[in-house]
């Protein structure tokens, strides 16, 4: 892999691993989903020194996964062995495990895939061979061998994954989650190997097409090549604004790109980590990246960052996880602090940009000037019709009570002020209410969007249509959300594979934030977190991204307007995703705490 990968072109013979070697290799449940198949096939293509890889997927990989490469190919006499158990050309002895320079080493991917697939074909031509060889398996059984023609390289096609395993098939993630995982695998390859061309097509659309820049000797460790991959996987703008970093410390090397704070995301998936060129998931290292951004990102925001760590092969164990997506570092603390310090100082150096720091530790009360009412009003004796009856009666004094989200209307509320740039403090007939401004606004927009979506006049055309360049994940999600977005009042035209033109928005949403809003919705469409029943995720996402954020200062007019809107909602007590919009402190409890009762 890396430079070693492209040089590892001299074809070593494939042989069966001696039993003890096979035994020392973690027996892995390697093939648990289409994304895992794709990962193995891509790694094989990279190990074969391919410079151009094409991936075609149908039905989120369930129907077909095809990977074509222009690598070494497999000599015809070794083809059967390659699909046999624990056959690898990359590892001979256990000692080799600590000196690995290839992605694959266990020799178990092809046999496992052959067994899991309804049909597997491998068509391959080694450079020295005049013709190509084809081998075909059905549910793990060899059914065909023949010769044919093709350019040097290998094509592996996997049809009907888990066909004979209905239980497996039933446990597969929803197609959109699977698509997300497939895009993730392919984009990790583009980032790990930016000097190789990679093209990904899913059901005829191409969410990822990475071409290395022409000319120049772009080695794997060339930061400019990586910047090109950043543009392919995320967006050109992200790559333009990103900051390069690199550092060296006690035998460890670090480099990469960290995204500008303005390219903040709501998900962690913009943090991409590579250890010795291998994409890995490592909570601690991801956290180190997040920590580096602490002063620059709002809470709940995540950065984009591509981080490449190089350590001597002997100081990392890559054989701790069946899919090789986790590694064990000898000195994790060292890596952690190197990552954090390096990225932090890269960010600090570029103070040209306005820091986005939010004062989250200061309590703020925006005075409601027009009011002379007392803070609390005791409920008049005898009036007991209003909520919250049981919840508050059972709560111990002073305890915050979250009102159960039910279909119940709100009494009319009086704005007192804002706290923490997050809560609206209000007075209701029973006591003090803290309203989460974001959740409340989400609820208001959600109901408004749902009620207006069928009316054509609910659209607000943009005077200047906005062109949105999409990243690979957003492009893959576009199909999923398209129809619903249109019925809500978004008018969107695809523009090539990776861009959209936004012509109008639902009236209920603020046009100033149109781009950010739409991106948020597209990203959410790929989110596979469970959602409550009878819930419209696209509408909820539109409401969420269109609403005021935590951290926004609201004046008393805005707060009162929001409370009026919330009072009119059908279900004012929770946001569309079920979080509470308000908590109440009963006046009775306050009186008890002040020993007035
Ligand atoms: P591993 O990658 O762990 O060696 P695999 O089962 O994935 O095991 O592959 C078995 C062998 O088949 C590899 O060692 C390699 O020699 C050969 N092979 C697989 N895919 C390709 C490919 N795309 N191009 C060239 N050789 C390949
Ligand atoms: Mg392999």
């Amino acid at each position: 892999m890396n430079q070693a990968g492209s040089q590892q072109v001299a074809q070593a013979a494939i042989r069966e691993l001696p039993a003890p070697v096979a035994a020392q290799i973690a027996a892995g449940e390697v093939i648990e989903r289409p994304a895992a198949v794709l990962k193995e096939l891509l790694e094989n293509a990279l190990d074969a020194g391919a410079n151009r890889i094409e991936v075609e997927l149908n039905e989120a990989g369930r129907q077909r996964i095809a990977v074509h490469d222009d690598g070494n190919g497999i000599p015809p006499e070794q083809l059967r062995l390659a699909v046999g158990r624990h056959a690898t050309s990359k590892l001979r002895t256990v000692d080799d495990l600590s000196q690995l320079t290839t992605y694959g080493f266990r020799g178990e991917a092809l046999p496992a895939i052959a067994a899991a697939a309804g049909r597997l074909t491998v068509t391959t031509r080694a450079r020295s061979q005049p013709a190509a060889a084809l081998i075909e398996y059905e549910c793990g059984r060899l059914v065909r061998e023949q010769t044919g023609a093709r350019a040097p390289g290998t094509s592996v096609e996997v049809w009907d994954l888990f066909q004979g395993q209905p239980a497996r098939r039933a446990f597969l993630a929803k197609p959109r989650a699977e698509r997300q995982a497939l895009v993730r695998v392919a984009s990790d390859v583009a980032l790990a190997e930016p000097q190789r061309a990679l093209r990904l097509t899913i059901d005829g659309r191409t969410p990822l097409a990475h071409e290395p820049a022409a000319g120049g000797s772009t080695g794997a460790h060339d930061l400019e090549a990586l910047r090109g991959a950043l543009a392919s996987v995320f967006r050109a703008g992200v790559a333009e604004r990103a900051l390069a970093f690199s550092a060296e410390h006690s035998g460890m090397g670090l480099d990469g790109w960290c995204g500008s704070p303005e390219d903040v995301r709501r998900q962690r998936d913009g943090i991409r980590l590579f250890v010795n060129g291998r994409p890995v998931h490592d909570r601690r290292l991801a956290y180190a990246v997040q920590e580096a951004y602490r002063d620059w990102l709002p809470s709940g925001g995540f950065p984009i960052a591509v981080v490449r760590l190089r350590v001597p092969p002997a100081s990392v164990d890559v054989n701790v996880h069946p899919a090789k997506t986790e590694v064990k570092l000898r000195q994790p603390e060292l890596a952690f602090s190197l990552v954090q310090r390096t990225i932090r100082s890269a960010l600090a150096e570029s103070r040209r940009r306005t820091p986005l720091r939010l004062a989250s530790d200061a309590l703020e009360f925006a005075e409601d000037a027009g009011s002379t009412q007392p803070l609390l009003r005791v409920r008049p004796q005898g009036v007991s019709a209003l909520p919250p009856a049981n919840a508050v009666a059972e709560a111990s004094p002073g305890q915050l009570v979250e009102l159960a989200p039910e279909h119940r209307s709100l009494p009319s509320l009086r704005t007192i002020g804002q706290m923490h740039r997050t809560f609206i403090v209000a007075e209701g007939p029973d006591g003090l209410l803290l309203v989460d401004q974001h959740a409340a606004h989400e609820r208001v927009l959600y109901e408004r969007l749902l009620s207006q979506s069928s009316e054509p006049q609910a659209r607000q055309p943009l005077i200047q249509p906005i062109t949105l360049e999409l990243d690979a994940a957003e492009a893959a999600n576009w199909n999923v959300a398209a129809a619903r977005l249109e019925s809500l009042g978004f008018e969107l035209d695809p523009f090539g594979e990776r861009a959209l033109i936004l012509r109008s928005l639902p009236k209920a949403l603020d046009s100033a934030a149109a781009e950010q809003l739409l991106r948020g919705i597209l990203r959410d469409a790929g989110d596979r977190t469970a959602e409550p029943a009878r819930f419209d995720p696209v509408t909820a996402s539109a409401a969420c991204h269109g609403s005021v954020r935590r951290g926004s200062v609201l004046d008393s007019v805005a707060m009162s307007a929001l409370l009026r809107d919330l009072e009119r909602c059908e279900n004012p007590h929770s946001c569309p995703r079920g979080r509470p919009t308000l908590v109440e402190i009963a006046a009775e409890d306050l009186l008890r705490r002040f020993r007035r009762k």
Side-chain angles (χ1 to χ4, degrees):
M1 62 215 245
N2 289 335
Q3 283 153 330
S6 10
Q7 284 156 14
Q8 205 246 328
V9 285
Q11 183 72 21
I14 302 172
R15 30 189 116 169
E16 278 186 59
L17 283 176
V21 184
Q24 286 204 15
I25 294 172
E29 272 283 274
V30 192
I31 304 305
E32 86 281 19
R33 60 191 295 190
V37 173
L38 179 61
K39 181 170 191 295
E40 294 293 340
L41 298 184
L42 285 173
E43 289 186 352
N44 283 347
L46 295 172
D47 283 345
N51 286 313
R52 185 162 293 276
I53 305 175
E54 297 240 358
V55 179
E56 296 170 274
L57 302 168
N58 297 89
E59 288 178 19
R62 285 179 204 212
Q63 198 216 342
R64 177 168 171 259
I65 301 170
V67 175
H68 312 283
D69 70 53
D70 64 352
N72 294 331
I74 306 174
E77 72 279 4
Q78 298 184 6
L79 193 47
R80 268 200 209 197
L81 197 51
V83 194
R85 186 136 186 84
H86 283 311
T88 178
S89 55
K90 302 166 193 169
L91 182 68
R92 226 44 66 64
T93 68
V94 172
D95 287 343
D96 290 350
L97 255 180
S98 61
Q99 298 296 335
L100 278 173
T101 54
T102 54
Y103 285 102
F105 52 83
R106 296 187 184 127
E108 64 187 4
L110 285 182
I113 294 168
R119 182 149 57 97
L120 168 82
T121 62
V122 181
T123 314
T124 184
R125 184 179 146 202
R127 270 180 227 288
S128 56
Q129 298 289 324
L134 177 142
I135 195 165
E136 182 172 328
Y137 288 78
E138 275 175 14
C139 300
R141 270 184 315 109
L142 178 67
V143 296
R144 188 154 67 109
E145 276 180 301
Q146 67 183 58
T147 53
R150 65 154 285 156
T154 304
S155 292
V156 180
E157 292 195 50
V158 179
W159 298 81
D160 302 315
L161 199 58
F162 308 128
Q163 188 185 44
Q165 295 155 275
R168 233 315 131 64
R169 246 186 127 88
F171 276 107
L172 281 180
K174 293 211 189 81
R176 70 173 183 186
E178 200 52 53
R179 254 193 311 272
Q180 199 82 343
L182 289 159
V183 171
R184 170 70 188 239
V185 164
S187 62
D188 273 346
V189 167
L191 293 168
E193 301 281 343
Q195 76 287 15
R196 315 202 205 195
L198 177 70
R199 200 180 157 80
L200 169 71
T201 306
I202 307 184
D203 295 322
R205 292 189 66 84
T206 305
L208 179 68
H210 174 61
E211 260 321 305
S217 61
T218 50
H221 297 311
D222 184 345
L223 271 175
E224 272 312 308
L226 182 59
R227 186 180 220 163
L230 203 63
S232 307
V233 170
F234 299 99
R235 274 168 282 132
V238 168
E240 274 159 31
R241 288 184 289 271
L243 306 167
F245 59 85
S246 71
E248 203 85 42
H249 194 269
S250 27
M252 239 182 245
L254 176 72
D255 72 355
W257 292 91
C258 54
S260 153
E262 63 195 275
D263 292 311
V264 57
R265 315 192 129 206
R266 293 209 310 138
Q267 274 106 6
R268 209 175 257 105
D269 64 1
I271 302 177
R272 304 299 185 89
L273 306 169
F274 300 86
V275 174
N276 291 354
R278 206 181 277 282
V280 298
H281 294 267
D282 186 303
R283 286 182 155 276
R284 295 198 56 187
L285 285 180
Y287 185 67
V289 176
Q290 249 169 276
E291 277 294 289
Y293 275 85
R294 186 147 63 166
D295 290 343
W296 286 278
L297 289 182
S299 72
F302 297 97
I304 287 174
V306 180
V307 179
R308 305 191 292 194
L309 193 64
R310 287 183 307 279
V311 299
S315 71
V316 57
D317 187 355
V318 294
N319 199 25
V320 294
H321 188 270
K324 294 167 286 186
T325 53
E326 283 168 24
V327 293
K328 205 158 88 196
L329 292 172
R330 285 273 158 76
Q331 297 164 304
E333 310 77 24
L334 221 59
F336 183 98
S337 77
L338 185 63
V339 167
Q340 189 185 346
R341 275 186 291 117
T342 307
I343 296 181
R344 176 171 281 273
S345 61
L347 289 165
E349 262 170 44
S350 72
R351 283 282 165 113
R352 293 173 283 118
R353 299 190 180 86
T354 355
L356 294 169
R357 193 180 166 84
L358 298 174
S360 56
D361 39 10
L363 284 189
E364 291 188 351
F365 280 88
E367 292 297 337
D368 188 336
S371 154
T372 52
Q373 299 265 25
L375 181 76
L376 282 170
R377 205 171 45 199
V378 183
R379 179 165 28 142
Q381 290 293 320
V383 180
S384 59
L386 291 164
N390 325 344
V392 171
E394 280 161 25
S396 55
Q399 184 187 337
L400 288 186
V401 178
E402 277 184 16
L403 298 177
E406 292 164 13
H407 290 264
R408 238 188 318 94
S409 66
L410 277 187
S412 103
L413 305 175
R414 187 181 67 81
T415 310
I416 296 168
Q418 189 186 25
M419 193 194 126
H420 234 71
R421 295 185 185 172
T422 301
F423 304 112
I424 299 170
V425 184
E427 183 194 356
D430 287 319
L432 189 66
L433 282 106
L434 297 175
V435 178
D436 179 320
Q437 63 192 40
H438 176 65
H441 198 199
E442 254 183 296
R443 163 55 61 187
V444 169
L445 289 180
Y446 183 69
E447 294 197 2
R448 209 176 279 168
L449 282 169
L450 282 183
S451 69
Q452 292 179 350
S453 61
S454 47
E455 307 163 18
Q457 72 276 18
R459 277 188 182 181
Q460 84 180 287
L462 294 172
I463 300 160
Q464 189 89 68
I466 299 173
T467 307
L468 279 128
E469 208 193 317
L470 305 179
D471 70 22
E474 289 163 348
N477 290 337
W478 154 242
N479 285 346
V480 178
R484 187 67 189 117
L485 283 171
E486 187 156 332
S487 75
L488 283 175
F490 287 92
E491 202 182 329
L492 284 157
D493 293 328
F495 184 67
E497 294 287 351
R498 288 275 299 263
L500 292 173
I501 300 174
L502 176 61
R503 301 190 192 280
S504 62
L505 275 184
K507 264 227 178 74
L509 299 176
D510 183 1
S511 64
E515 173 172 355
Q516 206 193 347
L517 170 78
L518 195 66
R519 275 194 204 293
I521 297 170
L522 287 177
R523 295 212 61 83
D524 283 354
D527 196 354
R528 53 170 166 160
T529 47
E531 284 145 359
R534 289 186 297 113
F535 162 83
D536 178 357
V538 175
T539 310
S541 168
C544 174
H545 293 284
S547 54
V548 293
R549 303 251 137 234
R550 285 182 56 197
S552 315
V553 178
L554 301 180
D555 63 18
S556 57
V557 178
M559 288 189 284
S560 301
L562 179 51
L563 292 182
R564 291 296 90 79
D565 288 341
L566 187 65
E567 287 162 19
R568 276 195 288 270
C569 280
E570 211 173 284
N571 183 8
H573 292 276
S574 69
C575 85
R577 286 174 211 276
R579 264 174 299 154
T581 51
L582 53 87
V583 298
E584 177 160 8
I585 307 169
E588 307 263 339
D589 286 338
L590 285 170
L591 288 169
R592 261 200 296 271
R593 298 198 85 180
F594 287 108
R595 312 235 175 92
R596 298 244 170 238
K597 223 175 167 184

